Amino acid sequence: MIYKNVFTSQIRRGIKLKQTLKNYSVIASVLEKANIGEVTEVKGWVKNLRKQKDLTFIDVNDGSTSQKLQIVIPKNLNTNDLTYGSSVLITGKLSKSPKGQLELVAEHVNVMGTCVVSDGYPFNPRTAHPPEYIRQFLHLRSRTNYFSAILRVRNSLTRHIHNYFESKNYLHVHTPILTSNDCEGAGEVFKIQPDNEITVKAMMQEGRDKDSVYFGTKTFLTVSGQLHQEAICRGMGNVYTLGPTFRAENSRSRLHLSEFYMLEAEIAFCDTLQNLQNVIEDMLKYLFIKTHESNANDLHIIDKEKSVLPLWVNKEFVTMTYNEAKGILGKRGLDMTDEGINKEQELALVEYCNGIPVFVIKWPKEQKSFYMKECQDDNTKVDALDLLAPITGEVVGGSLRENSYDKLKAKLPSDRLNWYLELRKFGNIPTGGFGLGLERFLQVICGVSNIKDTLPFPRWPHNCDM
Ligand code: 4AD
Ligand code: MG
């Protein structure tokens, strides 16, 4: 009410919200509106160029869509600097080609940035460069059809995630990046310290040791926002977060990054794994369908096969216990060790389920984190789940949270987590939650085998170049 009053009075005083308009037309909207006859200015990069006797044809793309706008340039305009890869500003009139395709007949052509391919530009027109090749040029790869299509899918996916949770009344919270807890307890944290010798020396004189010199405690980059989410969930109900997550794993696999994005949700009053599985399954199917709706053309560019919705979108996900998984793998000669299920075994389980994602539930306690709830019918197991999908294997990890004060106290890894224990002391509720690796899910959606192709600037051991 108060806000409304202030707003109306601002309008009365003539204060209007300024609309920031781009001074050029975005190609996605030019193609969509197709206003034949309209004078239009576009800016972008030349993707193809064909010179004929009287006319030059170029295809221009500005990143807003996978599609290109064809520009027809009459002979009288100077096209000397115009090459594949150059950046251009073109004004002209929208028209229809003899084949009925929308095109822009140029009246002015301005080459803003030349691109001499023989000077070392790594890409060529009409060439499907393999992803491993494109990945060598992190700073230039946004110019390629393949990589820009993936980034557009990523952009839409994050939007759909926020829409999904908003429609379900979840609160979006920002959990901290700097933290004093190693949530998963797997020892994969990056330690944080000031890089300034003078600051460090001065602070050490105050009697602190080097590891905790700045914050007074050892501090890390977050491996998960879960524990913080649990605190908010136990006061405000369902919450989610989508943020950067860091893990110092010594793995250069096609599935691991040192910095990745994790979507984490914590569900209030959740007391069965089935409840948690329902949320995950509903959300993943929604996100899959929505990205296929919003980015069909991009998905087609990335992988023609993946532009068709997979059959599992209309099927129920499979559920099996850890023990059942062990039996299935044993029969296939893939015996499990005490370490758990490895990547080859995860993918074999998905194959066993005909490519349908599979929840593996009820895990041995010693393989999972301290916060997971002990199974009611078996105190050697916890109510944990991993969701395995084609291409990546594990894509989601989650659990019910131990909400018995005494049981949690017995498993608490450090006194530093007394605040977490105390959540069980006052107005406690049962909760459960999960984490979805955004990049791994993009691999599944796009059919991309290497995780390094799903984000602009990947970091992995020995690689933090840009
Ligand atoms: O299974 P994880 O470790 O679960 C958690 O961190 C829980 N605290 C989440 C929660 O319950 N709120 O990680 C969740 C997911 C994995 O299933 C995987 O998809 C992804 O995060 N992930 C990685 N993705 C890329 N690179 C890595 N190094 C990853 N480590 C985990
Ligand atoms: Mg996991």
Side-chain angles (χ1 to χ4, degrees), residues 247 368 386 394 396-397:
R247 296 208 178 167
K368 291 288 182 184
D386 273 12
E394 182 193 344
V396 175

Side-chain angles (χ1 to χ4, degrees), residues 7-75:
F7 189 65
T8 2
S9 71
Q10 277 180 348
I11 289 175
R12 233 180 280 128
R13 290 205 311 270
I15 301 169
K16 285 196 191 134
L17 297 175
K18 269 193 202 145
Q19 252 194 315
T20 43
L21 286 176
K22 285 188 175 162
N23 61 353
Y24 65 97
S25 305
V26 171
I27 289 179
S29 107
V30 171
L31 290 169
E32 195 193 324
K33 290 183 191 147
N35 281 335
I36 305 291
E38 191 172 74
V39 174
T40 304
E41 181 185 84
V42 292
K43 292 176 184 171
W45 293 265
V46 176
K47 299 292 173 176
N48 277 316
L49 182 143
R50 298 176 299 285
K51 278 196 176 170
Q52 291 182 357
K53 211 167 123 234
D54 293 328
L55 297 170
T56 299
F57 292 92
I58 57 170
D59 293 332
V60 173
N61 176 278
D62 64 359
S64 61
T65 165
S66 58
Q67 285 157 294
K68 297 162 189 96
L69 179 64
Q70 172 162 284
I71 318 271
V72 186
I73 306 171
K75 201 179 170 183

Side-chain angles (χ1 to χ4, degrees), residues 12 35 40 94 136 148 182 186 197 260 272 281 322 332 357-358 367 383 395 406 419 445 450 454 462:
R12 233 180 280 128
N35 281 335
T40 304
L94 288 173
Q136 295 173 52
S148 58
D182 170 6
E197 283 300 316
F260 61 99
T272 65
E281 186 168 337
Y322 179 89
R332 300 191 141 203
V358 46
Q367 283 185 31
D383 274 325
V395 68
D406 292 328
W419 65 267
I445 293 177
N450 197 315
T454 60
H462 299 170

